[in-house]
Amino acid sequence: QVQLVESGGGLVQAGGSLRLSCAASGSTFSIYTMGWYRQAPGNQRELVASISSGGNTNYADSVKGRFAIARDNAKNTVYLQMNSLKPEDTAVYYCKALTRIRDGPTYRYWGQGTQVTVSS
């Protein structure tokens, strides 16, 4: 029932910046844990960054100091600001939402992805 729509992907030169957005449907966005994942050809999907409902953030070592995740609960949107981009950052980036009902099931939702290409 939760729909996630990513935007902001594209082609950028190495050293440049890009901001991804993920807009979520639903009325309980503020309680979701949100994350950005990426998958490059031949690689597994990996966590890039996450942010909890309480604002706690987590980053992959490869992007620490370069990427920043943020959320705007009023807009039901999570962002990924990507700076100092490297060709190794080239991948399809996916937005994920996670929510759990107390003493109940955990629900995970995925967006369809947006392509980020960094040229050298």
Side-chain angles (χ1 to χ4, degrees), residues 4-115:
L4 305 174
V5 181
E6 301 101 331
S7 62
L11 188 146
V12 65
Q13 294 181 332
S17 298
L18 206 61
R19 189 177 78 159
L20 305 183
S21 299
C22 173
S25 65
S27 60
T28 56
F29 176 83
S30 63
I31 68 171
Y32 300 161
T33 294
M34 302 298 299
W36 286 98
Y37 291 72
R38 67 187 182 187
Q39 187 166 21
N43 292 349
Q44 296 186 83
R45 188 173 297 186
E46 63 176 353
L47 174 69
V48 177
S50 65
I51 183 166
S52 72
S53 61
N56 186 42
T57 59
N58 187 50
Y59 297 93
D61 288 342
S62 59
V63 307
K64 286 181 179 177
R66 300 189 298 120
F67 290 11
I69 189 170
R71 66 194 299 159
D72 186 339
N73 291 338
K75 296 181 179 179
N76 276 19
T77 301
V78 64
Y79 305 94
L80 184 67
Q81 179 66 47
M82 304 184 292
N83 299 320
S84 301
L85 282 161
K86 304 175 180 179
E88 305 94 277
D89 296 318
T90 295
V92 177
Y93 284 70
Y94 298 90
C95 180
K96 189 190 85 172
L98 183 149
T99 184
R100 182 182 183 275
I101 300 172
R102 184 177 294 275
D103 297 323
T106 298
Y107 297 92
R108 298 176 177 87
Y109 307 94
W110 292 90
Q112 290 187 299
T114 185
Q115 177 71 46

